[in-house]
Amino acid sequence: MKRQRMNDQGGTVTIHDVARHAGVSSMTVSRVINKNVNVREPLREKVMASIKALKYTMNMAARSTRAGMGGVRIGVLYSHPSASYLNEIMLGGLDQAARLGAQLLLEKCGGLQSQKNAVNRLVEAGVDGVILPPPLCDSAPTVQMLTRVGIPVLALATARPLPEVSAVRIDDFQGALALTRHLIKLGHKRIGFIKGNPTHTPTEVRYEGFLKGLSEAGIALDEALVVQGQFTYKSGLETGRELLDRKDPPTAIFASNDDMAAGVMAVAHGLKISIPEQLSVCGFDDTPVASTIWPQLTTVHQPIVAMGRSSVSTIFERIKELKSGEPSRPAHQLMKFTLMDRDSTGPAPE
Protein backbone atom coordinates (compact mmCIF):
# COMPACT_ATOMS: atom_id res chain seq x y z
CA MET A 1 0.00 0.00 0.00
CA LYS A 2 1.32 3.45 -0.89
CA ARG A 3 1.92 5.72 2.05
CA GLN A 4 0.25 9.09 1.89
CA ARG A 5 2.55 12.04 1.38
CA MET A 6 3.23 14.36 4.33
CA ASN A 7 2.64 18.09 4.15
CA ASP A 8 5.24 20.78 4.85
CA GLN A 9 4.56 20.63 8.59
CA GLY A 10 5.18 16.89 8.68
CA GLY A 11 1.50 15.95 9.05
CA THR A 12 -0.75 13.90 6.81
CA VAL A 13 -1.94 15.73 3.69
CA THR A 14 -5.42 17.16 4.23
CA ILE A 15 -8.13 18.49 1.99
CA HIS A 16 -6.89 22.00 2.84
CA ASP A 17 -3.40 21.14 1.53
CA VAL A 18 -4.96 19.99 -1.74
CA ALA A 19 -6.96 23.22 -1.92
CA ARG A 20 -3.85 25.37 -1.41
CA HIS A 21 -1.91 23.36 -4.01
CA ALA A 22 -4.70 23.75 -6.58
CA GLY A 23 -5.42 27.37 -5.70
CA VAL A 24 -9.06 26.68 -4.90
CA SER A 25 -11.27 26.48 -1.81
CA SER A 26 -11.60 23.39 0.38
CA MET A 27 -15.27 23.30 -0.60
CA THR A 28 -14.31 22.98 -4.27
CA VAL A 29 -12.00 20.07 -3.47
CA SER A 30 -14.82 18.40 -1.56
CA ARG A 31 -17.19 18.86 -4.50
CA VAL A 32 -14.67 17.19 -6.78
CA ILE A 33 -14.14 14.29 -4.34
CA ASN A 34 -17.90 13.83 -4.01
CA LYS A 35 -18.25 13.95 -7.83
CA ASN A 36 -20.57 16.94 -7.64
CA VAL A 37 -21.87 17.78 -11.12
CA ASN A 38 -21.68 21.54 -10.48
CA VAL A 39 -17.91 21.71 -11.04
CA ARG A 40 -16.48 22.87 -14.37
CA GLU A 41 -14.30 20.25 -16.05
CA PRO A 42 -11.10 22.37 -16.20
CA LEU A 43 -11.42 23.02 -12.45
CA ARG A 44 -12.10 19.33 -11.78
CA GLU A 45 -8.96 18.37 -13.71
CA LYS A 46 -6.90 20.94 -11.80
CA VAL A 47 -8.03 19.56 -8.44
CA MET A 48 -7.49 15.96 -9.51
CA ALA A 49 -3.95 16.86 -10.60
CA SER A 50 -3.23 18.27 -7.14
CA ILE A 51 -4.76 15.20 -5.47
CA LYS A 52 -2.47 13.02 -7.56
CA ALA A 53 0.59 15.20 -6.93
CA LEU A 54 0.04 15.16 -3.17
CA LYS A 55 -0.96 11.47 -3.16
CA TYR A 56 -4.22 12.22 -1.41
CA THR A 57 -5.34 8.63 -2.00
CA MET A 58 -5.81 7.20 1.49
CA ASN A 59 -8.24 9.91 2.55
CA MET A 60 -10.33 9.26 -0.55
CA ALA A 61 -10.21 5.54 0.14
CA ALA A 62 -11.31 6.13 3.70
CA ARG A 63 -14.33 7.99 2.40
CA SER A 64 -15.20 5.21 -0.02
CA THR A 65 -15.08 2.56 2.73
CA ARG A 66 -18.04 4.34 4.31
CA ALA A 67 -20.17 4.08 1.18
CA GLY A 68 -22.43 1.64 3.06
CA MET A 69 -24.33 2.53 6.22
CA GLY A 70 -21.61 1.34 8.56
CA GLY A 71 -19.74 4.18 10.25
CA VAL A 72 -22.17 6.99 9.43
CA ARG A 73 -20.85 10.33 10.66
CA ILE A 74 -23.25 13.12 11.53
CA GLY A 75 -21.90 16.59 12.23
CA VAL A 76 -23.47 18.94 14.78
CA LEU A 77 -22.44 22.53 14.12
CA TYR A 78 -23.43 24.79 16.98
CA SER A 79 -23.18 28.38 18.13
CA HIS A 80 -25.73 28.83 20.90
CA PRO A 81 -25.52 30.93 24.07
CA SER A 82 -27.56 28.48 26.16
CA ALA A 83 -25.52 25.53 27.42
CA SER A 84 -28.62 23.91 28.91
CA TYR A 85 -30.40 23.92 25.54
CA LEU A 86 -27.44 22.30 23.79
CA ASN A 87 -27.09 19.72 26.57
CA GLU A 88 -30.71 18.69 26.13
CA ILE A 89 -30.25 18.35 22.36
CA MET A 90 -27.14 16.22 22.79
CA LEU A 91 -28.78 14.03 25.45
CA GLY A 92 -31.30 12.86 22.89
CA GLY A 93 -28.94 12.99 19.92
CA LEU A 94 -26.19 10.88 21.46
CA ASP A 95 -28.68 8.29 22.68
CA GLN A 96 -30.22 7.89 19.23
CA ALA A 97 -26.82 7.87 17.49
CA ALA A 98 -25.74 4.99 19.72
CA ARG A 99 -28.91 3.07 18.85
CA LEU A 100 -28.26 3.56 15.13
CA GLY A 101 -24.53 2.90 15.29
CA ALA A 102 -23.78 6.42 14.05
CA GLN A 103 -21.09 8.83 15.23
CA LEU A 104 -21.74 12.47 16.18
CA LEU A 105 -19.00 15.03 15.53
CA LEU A 106 -19.44 18.37 17.31
CA GLU A 107 -17.99 21.62 15.97
CA LYS A 108 -18.35 24.98 17.69
CA CYS A 109 -18.21 28.24 15.76
CA GLY A 110 -18.92 31.94 16.01
CA GLY A 111 -19.09 34.46 13.15
CA LEU A 112 -19.31 33.74 9.43
CA GLN A 113 -15.59 33.05 8.93
CA SER A 114 -15.60 30.77 11.95
CA GLN A 115 -18.62 28.97 10.46
CA LYS A 116 -16.74 28.48 7.18
CA ASN A 117 -13.76 27.05 9.05
CA ALA A 118 -15.98 24.71 11.06
CA VAL A 119 -17.77 23.51 7.92
CA ASN A 120 -14.37 22.83 6.33
CA ARG A 121 -13.37 20.74 9.35
CA LEU A 122 -16.56 18.71 9.13
CA VAL A 123 -16.07 18.19 5.40
CA GLU A 124 -12.47 17.11 6.05
CA ALA A 125 -13.75 14.66 8.70
CA GLY A 126 -16.01 13.12 6.06
CA VAL A 127 -19.41 13.75 7.63
CA ASP A 128 -22.40 12.30 5.79
CA GLY A 129 -24.91 14.87 7.09
CA VAL A 130 -25.05 17.88 9.42
CA ILE A 131 -27.52 18.99 12.11
CA LEU A 132 -27.76 22.74 12.73
CA PRO A 133 -29.22 23.68 16.15
CA PRO A 134 -30.35 27.30 16.70
CA PRO A 135 -29.40 29.90 15.70
CA LEU A 136 -27.38 28.30 12.89
CA CYS A 137 -30.52 26.48 11.74
CA ASP A 138 -31.47 29.81 10.14
CA SER A 139 -28.05 30.63 8.68
CA ALA A 140 -28.51 30.59 4.88
CA PRO A 141 -24.74 30.89 4.19
CA THR A 142 -24.00 27.83 6.35
CA VAL A 143 -26.80 25.81 4.75
CA GLN A 144 -25.54 26.78 1.30
CA MET A 145 -21.94 25.85 2.10
CA LEU A 146 -23.06 22.35 3.05
CA THR A 147 -25.63 21.73 0.33
CA ARG A 148 -23.20 22.90 -2.36
CA VAL A 149 -20.93 19.97 -1.52
CA GLY A 150 -23.80 17.51 -1.44
CA ILE A 151 -24.08 17.16 2.35
CA PRO A 152 -27.71 16.86 3.58
CA VAL A 153 -28.69 19.32 6.31
CA LEU A 154 -31.25 19.26 9.14
CA ALA A 155 -32.36 22.50 10.77
CA LEU A 156 -33.31 21.92 14.40
CA ALA A 157 -35.85 24.27 16.03
CA THR A 158 -36.19 26.68 13.14
CA ALA A 159 -39.57 28.38 12.88
CA ARG A 160 -39.45 28.76 9.10
CA PRO A 161 -37.65 25.75 7.59
CA LEU A 162 -36.06 26.15 4.17
CA PRO A 163 -37.50 23.76 1.55
CA GLU A 164 -34.09 22.26 0.69
CA VAL A 165 -33.29 21.09 4.24
CA SER A 166 -34.94 18.70 6.67
CA ALA A 167 -36.32 20.15 9.90
CA VAL A 168 -37.53 19.16 13.36
CA ARG A 169 -39.45 21.87 15.21
CA ILE A 170 -42.53 22.90 17.18
CA ASP A 171 -45.17 25.47 16.24
CA ASP A 172 -43.64 28.55 17.87
CA PHE A 173 -46.57 30.75 16.84
CA GLN A 174 -49.15 28.58 18.57
CA GLY A 175 -46.92 28.15 21.62
CA ALA A 176 -46.56 31.90 22.07
CA LEU A 177 -50.27 32.41 21.44
CA ALA A 178 -51.15 29.85 24.13
CA LEU A 179 -48.86 31.54 26.64
CA THR A 180 -50.26 35.00 25.85
CA ARG A 181 -53.82 33.73 26.25
CA HIS A 182 -52.82 32.29 29.62
CA LEU A 183 -51.59 35.68 30.84
CA ILE A 184 -54.66 37.47 29.53
CA LYS A 185 -56.94 34.92 31.20
CA LEU A 186 -55.21 35.84 34.48
CA GLY A 187 -56.29 39.46 33.92
CA HIS A 188 -53.05 40.93 32.57
CA LYS A 189 -53.31 43.72 30.01
CA ARG A 190 -49.95 45.48 30.40
CA ILE A 191 -47.67 42.69 29.24
CA GLY A 192 -44.01 43.27 28.48
CA PHE A 193 -42.40 41.22 25.73
CA ILE A 194 -38.69 40.43 25.37
CA LYS A 195 -37.59 39.38 21.90
CA GLY A 196 -34.73 36.95 21.32
CA ASN A 197 -31.82 36.80 18.88
CA PRO A 198 -32.99 38.67 15.74
CA THR A 199 -31.17 36.20 13.44
CA HIS A 200 -33.23 33.27 14.76
CA THR A 201 -36.66 32.79 13.12
CA PRO A 202 -38.53 31.75 16.32
CA THR A 203 -37.84 35.27 17.64
CA GLU A 204 -40.22 36.90 15.18
CA VAL A 205 -42.68 34.00 15.05
CA ARG A 206 -43.09 33.99 18.85
CA TYR A 207 -43.62 37.75 18.73
CA GLU A 208 -46.29 37.25 16.07
CA GLY A 209 -48.05 34.75 18.34
CA PHE A 210 -47.92 37.31 21.17
CA LEU A 211 -49.42 40.01 18.93
CA LYS A 212 -52.20 37.65 17.85
CA GLY A 213 -53.07 36.99 21.50
CA LEU A 214 -53.33 40.71 22.24
CA SER A 215 -55.35 41.37 19.10
CA GLU A 216 -57.97 38.69 19.68
CA ALA A 217 -58.46 40.00 23.24
CA GLY A 218 -58.84 43.58 22.01
CA ILE A 219 -55.71 44.76 23.84
CA ALA A 220 -53.71 47.50 22.12
CA LEU A 221 -49.96 46.92 21.83
CA ASP A 222 -47.80 49.27 23.90
CA GLU A 223 -44.57 49.32 21.87
CA ALA A 224 -42.69 50.76 24.85
CA LEU A 225 -43.16 47.39 26.55
CA VAL A 226 -41.46 45.47 23.70
CA VAL A 227 -37.68 45.23 24.12
CA GLN A 228 -34.86 43.45 22.30
CA GLY A 229 -32.99 40.62 24.03
CA GLN A 230 -30.53 38.01 22.76
CA PHE A 231 -31.79 34.73 24.29
CA THR A 232 -29.15 35.11 27.04
CA TYR A 233 -29.43 35.44 30.82
CA LYS A 234 -27.46 38.70 30.63
CA SER A 235 -29.89 40.21 28.14
CA GLY A 236 -32.72 39.13 30.46
CA LEU A 237 -31.11 41.12 33.25
CA GLU A 238 -30.73 44.17 31.03
CA THR A 239 -34.19 44.12 29.48
CA GLY A 240 -35.84 43.16 32.77
CA ARG A 241 -34.28 46.21 34.42
CA GLU A 242 -35.40 48.37 31.49
CA LEU A 243 -39.01 47.24 31.84
CA LEU A 244 -39.22 47.25 35.64
CA ASP A 245 -37.56 50.65 36.05
CA ARG A 246 -40.45 52.28 34.19
CA LYS A 247 -42.87 54.54 36.07
CA ASP A 248 -45.66 52.33 34.75
CA PRO A 249 -44.10 48.84 34.61
CA PRO A 250 -45.95 45.86 33.15
CA THR A 251 -47.84 43.46 35.41
CA ALA A 252 -46.51 40.51 33.40
CA ILE A 253 -43.42 39.88 31.28
CA PHE A 254 -43.24 37.30 28.49
CA ALA A 255 -39.58 36.50 27.82
CA SER A 256 -38.92 34.62 24.57
CA ASN A 257 -36.86 31.96 26.33
CA ASP A 258 -36.21 30.64 29.84
CA ASP A 259 -32.73 32.13 30.25
CA MET A 260 -34.05 35.65 29.70
CA ALA A 261 -37.01 34.96 31.99
CA ALA A 262 -34.58 33.87 34.72
CA GLY A 263 -32.74 37.16 34.28
CA VAL A 264 -35.99 39.10 34.64
CA MET A 265 -36.83 37.22 37.84
CA ALA A 266 -33.40 38.00 39.29
CA VAL A 267 -33.99 41.71 38.67
CA ALA A 268 -37.46 41.50 40.25
CA HIS A 269 -36.05 39.79 43.33
CA GLY A 270 -33.42 42.51 43.62
CA LEU A 271 -36.11 45.19 43.46
CA LYS A 272 -38.18 43.37 46.11
CA ILE A 273 -40.97 42.78 43.59
CA SER A 274 -42.96 39.73 44.62
CA ILE A 275 -43.52 37.02 41.99
CA PRO A 276 -46.31 36.30 41.07
CA GLU A 277 -48.22 38.60 43.45
CA GLN A 278 -46.86 41.82 41.91
CA LEU A 279 -45.36 40.52 38.68
CA SER A 280 -45.97 37.45 36.53
CA VAL A 281 -43.06 36.12 34.47
CA CYS A 282 -43.05 33.42 31.82
CA GLY A 283 -40.48 31.97 29.43
CA PHE A 284 -40.26 29.54 26.53
CA ASP A 285 -38.53 26.15 25.92
CA ASP A 286 -38.75 24.55 29.41
CA THR A 287 -35.02 24.01 29.77
CA PRO A 288 -33.77 22.73 33.18
CA VAL A 289 -33.46 26.28 34.55
CA ALA A 290 -37.26 26.63 34.39
CA SER A 291 -37.77 24.12 37.19
CA THR A 292 -34.70 25.02 39.27
CA ILE A 293 -35.30 28.76 39.80
CA TRP A 294 -37.72 30.09 42.41
CA PRO A 295 -40.58 30.31 41.89
CA GLN A 296 -40.65 27.69 39.17
CA LEU A 297 -41.22 29.18 35.74
CA THR A 298 -44.38 29.08 33.67
CA THR A 299 -43.20 28.30 30.14
CA VAL A 300 -43.85 26.44 26.91
CA HIS A 301 -42.33 22.98 26.99
CA GLN A 302 -40.38 22.25 23.84
CA PRO A 303 -39.49 18.51 23.85
CA ILE A 304 -35.80 19.26 23.26
CA VAL A 305 -34.44 15.81 24.16
CA ALA A 306 -36.97 14.13 21.84
CA MET A 307 -36.19 16.70 19.15
CA GLY A 308 -32.48 15.88 19.39
CA ARG A 309 -33.31 12.19 19.08
CA SER A 310 -35.63 12.77 16.13
CA SER A 311 -33.06 14.97 14.39
CA VAL A 312 -30.50 12.15 14.36
CA SER A 313 -33.10 9.64 13.11
CA THR A 314 -34.33 11.98 10.38
CA ILE A 315 -30.90 12.89 8.99
CA PHE A 316 -29.81 9.24 9.27
CA GLU A 317 -32.74 8.16 7.08
CA ARG A 318 -31.92 10.89 4.54
CA ILE A 319 -28.29 9.72 4.41
CA LYS A 320 -29.45 6.13 3.93
CA GLU A 321 -31.69 7.12 1.02
CA LEU A 322 -28.95 9.15 -0.66
CA LYS A 323 -26.37 6.38 -0.29
CA SER A 324 -28.72 3.76 -1.72
CA GLY A 325 -29.59 5.95 -4.69
CA GLU A 326 -33.26 6.16 -3.70
CA PRO A 327 -35.27 9.34 -4.37
CA SER A 328 -34.74 11.56 -1.32
CA ARG A 329 -36.62 14.64 -0.20
CA PRO A 330 -36.09 16.71 2.95
CA ALA A 331 -38.45 15.71 5.78
CA HIS A 332 -40.15 18.27 8.03
CA GLN A 333 -41.37 17.04 11.42
CA LEU A 334 -43.62 19.13 13.67
CA MET A 335 -43.55 18.06 17.34
CA LYS A 336 -46.04 18.90 20.08
CA PHE A 337 -45.52 21.63 22.69
CA THR A 338 -47.06 21.80 26.18
CA LEU A 339 -47.97 24.85 28.26
CA MET A 340 -46.37 24.40 31.70
CA ASP A 341 -48.41 26.43 34.21
CA ARG A 342 -46.14 26.89 37.23
CA ASP A 343 -45.79 29.32 40.12
CA SER A 344 -44.25 32.34 38.34
CA THR A 345 -47.60 33.50 36.97
CA GLY A 346 -50.74 34.54 38.84
CA PRO A 347 -53.69 36.94 38.72
CA ALA A 348 -52.94 40.51 37.71
CA PRO A 349 -52.60 42.83 40.74
CA GLU A 350 -55.54 45.16 41.29
Side-chain angles (χ1 to χ4, degrees):
M1 180 183 294
K2 291 182 180 180
R3 297 191 63 180
Q4 187 167 330
R5 184 170 173 174
M6 310 299 278
N7 61 21
D8 294 339
Q9 287 72 44
T12 302
V13 172
T14 70
I15 196 172
H16 308 300
D17 296 318
V18 174
R20 282 191 291 270
H21 188 275
V24 299
S25 70
S26 299
M27 288 296 188
T28 298
V29 177
S30 179
R31 286 199 290 270
V32 172
I33 292 173
N34 287 313
K35 299 181 180 180
N36 191 296
V37 295
N38 297 318
V39 180
R40 291 179 289 109
E41 192 57 34
L43 193 57
R44 186 185 305 277
E45 292 175 356
K46 186 177 182 180
V47 171
M48 290 305 297
S50 292
I51 288 173
K52 184 176 180 180
L54 296 178
K55 299 181 181 178
Y56 187 63
T57 53
M58 291 182 67
N59 279 30
M60 293 177 70
R63 176 178 289 274
S64 66
T65 61
R66 297 202 334 272
M69 287 313 295
V72 168
R73 292 183 179 182
I74 300 171
V76 179
L77 183 59
Y78 71 96
S79 173
H80 194 279
S82 173
S84 60
Y85 193 97
L86 181 64
N87 289 342
E88 293 284 285
I89 291 172
M90 294 313 301
L91 185 63
L94 287 168
D95 176 66
Q96 190 63 20
R99 292 172 184 267
L100 296 172
Q103 181 183 4
L104 292 189
L105 283 72
L106 274 67
E107 277 287 350
K108 183 179 181 180
C109 62
L112 186 57
Q113 186 56 51
S114 175
Q115 291 173 32
K116 290 179 180 178
N117 294 339
V119 167
N120 282 336
R121 289 192 294 271
L122 287 173
V123 170
E124 172 67 22
V127 296
D128 302 290
V130 172
I131 296 171
L132 298 176
L136 291 181
C137 56
D138 295 312
S139 172
T142 303
V143 170
Q144 290 167 4
M145 280 188 279
L146 290 162
T147 55
R148 273 200 303 263
V149 295
I151 295 177
V153 177
L154 183 140
L156 174 58
T158 179
R160 294 191 175 105
L162 298 170
E164 66 269 27
V165 302
S166 296
V168 174
R169 65 188 184 94
I170 65 165
D171 191 328
D172 290 272
F173 179 89
Q174 291 296 331
L177 176 58
L179 200 49
T180 306
R181 286 171 173 168
H182 173 68
L183 292 174
I184 292 172
K185 187 176 180 180
L186 290 170
H188 296 281
K189 296 182 179 180
R190 288 186 53 76
I191 306 172
F193 188 89
I194 304 177
K195 292 185 175 183
N197 187 327
T199 67
H200 188 23
T201 53
T203 291
E204 199 58 34
V205 173
R206 291 174 190 179
Y207 182 53
E208 291 169 0
F210 169 71
L211 293 179
K212 174 65 174 177
L214 295 184
S215 175
E216 67 180 21
I219 300 174
L221 173 69
D222 185 345
E223 294 186 359
L225 297 182
V226 179
V227 291
Q228 182 67 59
Q230 289 293 332
F231 281 142
T232 62
Y233 178 79
K234 180 181 178 182
S235 68
L237 292 173
E238 295 167 347
T239 53
R241 193 171 296 113
E242 180 181 348
L243 289 170
L244 295 177
D245 278 346
R246 293 177 55 86
K247 290 182 180 179
D248 51 349
T251 63
I253 295 178
F254 180 162
S256 292
N257 80 337
D258 297 338
D259 284 356
M260 294 194 299
V264 170
M265 290 174 65
V267 172
H269 290 322
L271 294 173
K272 308 300 182 185
I273 297 173
S274 180
I275 300 173
E277 290 79 11
Q278 295 174 285
L279 174 71
S280 287
V281 180
C282 57
F284 206 106
D285 292 333
D286 198 23
T287 51
V289 69
S291 54
T292 55
I293 56 176
W294 178 84
Q296 291 190 358
L297 185 65
T298 294
T299 186
V300 169
H301 174 73
Q302 188 170 194
I304 304 171
V305 173
M307 290 168 71
R309 188 178 295 115
S310 180
S311 294
V312 170
S313 294
T314 301
I315 196 72
F316 186 89
E317 287 302 313
R318 183 98 198 275
I319 292 167
K320 185 169 68 173
E321 291 170 354
L322 291 170
K323 285 191 173 186
S324 65
E326 298 176 14
S328 176
R329 296 175 58 186
H332 291 177
Q333 182 175 359
L334 190 66
M335 302 191 75
K336 293 182 179 181
F337 68 85
T338 307
L339 176 62
M340 308 299 292
D341 183 10
R342 299 194 180 107
D343 296 335
S344 68
T345 52
E350 298 180 359

